[in-house]
Amino acid sequence: MELKITILHGSSKHKLSLDSSELSVLDLKNAASTATDVPVKSQKLIFKGKSLNDQSMLLKDVGIKNGCKVMLIGKKIDIEADASYKTIKDVEKRTDDVEKKQLEIQEEIDGIQKGFLQKDLIEEALKRLQKRLLVSQEELMRLLEQLDKLSIGESLIVIRTKRKTTVQKIQQRLDFNDSLEKKIIDLTHP
């Protein structure tokens, strides 16, 4: 049976369609969280002037049926103000900076491969490039550690997803670093 409920939050109305009449208050809070971006822990649901505090209660037992309106009190997540989100954005920017350095190294390696550097300067240039790659790798590892230290609550799905994509980007940069290092090794020992 489909249960249609309207959630009133501030001046907004959110129409929810839930699949069963055997839903609990917690199920309603989860659906409301998705619709309004108000975390479950920050929500207070009010129905017919009464606060729905017992999250295990079934909606039918508190009198909620098809077409009912439930008021939601709570504050939306301000992602931009979250300290973890700011840290992730900073890590993302620093990852982009490392990427630029890696692309510069790649250009120099390509120039050496094409013979644009005198033979007697190649060995020294490769050593410098290898050192720069090592610095990039260390920076990327520090960034991963910084992301790993973050404690992000279960309800902050957007921030958790942002961290995951940033970690994946760093891992791609580390793989690219490895491919550049292989090119340098191949040039050093032809």
Side-chain angles (χ1 to χ4, degrees), residues 58-186:
L58 295 179
L59 296 181
K60 67 179 182 180
D61 293 341
V62 294
I64 295 177
K65 50 191 169 208
N66 199 28
C68 285
K69 294 180 181 178
V70 178
M71 184 188 307
L72 176 122
I73 299 173
K75 189 174 180 180
K76 286 185 178 185
I77 303 169
D78 184 5
I79 294 172
E80 298 293 329
D82 186 88
S84 296
Y85 188 79
K86 288 179 182 178
T87 300
I88 294 169
K89 290 294 281 181
D90 178 57
V91 166
E92 193 174 46
K93 183 192 174 306
R94 290 169 48 200
T95 302
D96 291 341
D97 293 343
V98 170
E99 181 178 7
K100 289 175 190 170
K101 292 174 185 174
Q102 287 178 321
L103 293 174
E104 290 171 5
I105 293 169
Q106 183 180 25
E107 284 180 25
E108 290 183 42
I109 291 171
D110 290 345
I112 292 171
Q113 286 176 325
K114 292 177 183 174
F116 295 153
L117 190 64
Q118 296 174 12
K119 299 261 188 236
D120 58 331
L121 300 176
I122 291 176
E123 186 177 337
E124 185 61 35
L126 290 174
K127 284 180 184 178
R128 283 195 320 269
L129 289 173
Q130 205 158 20
K131 284 180 185 177
R132 287 170 52 197
L133 272 179
L134 184 60
V135 169
S136 294
Q137 183 174 5
E138 288 172 355
E139 174 68 9
L140 291 168
M141 293 304 289
R142 276 193 299 273
L143 294 174
L144 277 176
E145 288 172 1
Q146 195 172 355
L147 290 176
D148 193 42
K149 290 178 187 175
L150 291 178
S151 177
I152 300 172
E154 296 268 336
S155 62
L156 303 174
I157 295 169
V158 174
I159 296 174
R160 293 172 76 81
T161 303
K162 182 72 170 168
R163 177 175 63 179
K164 183 177 180 178
T165 57
T166 305
V167 165
Q168 289 170 341
K169 186 175 184 177
I170 291 172
Q171 289 170 336
Q172 289 172 347
R173 292 289 97 213
L174 283 167
D175 290 343
F176 186 64
N177 219 62
D178 290 344
S179 71
L180 291 176
E181 189 171 13
K182 184 179 179 334
K183 284 182 180 183
I184 290 174
I185 290 169
D186 291 345

Side-chain angles (χ1 to χ4, degrees), residues 8-19:
L8 306 171
H9 179 245
S11 60
S12 303
K13 292 182 180 180
H14 303 275
K15 298 198 182 287
L16 303 179
S17 293
L18 306 171
D19 288 335

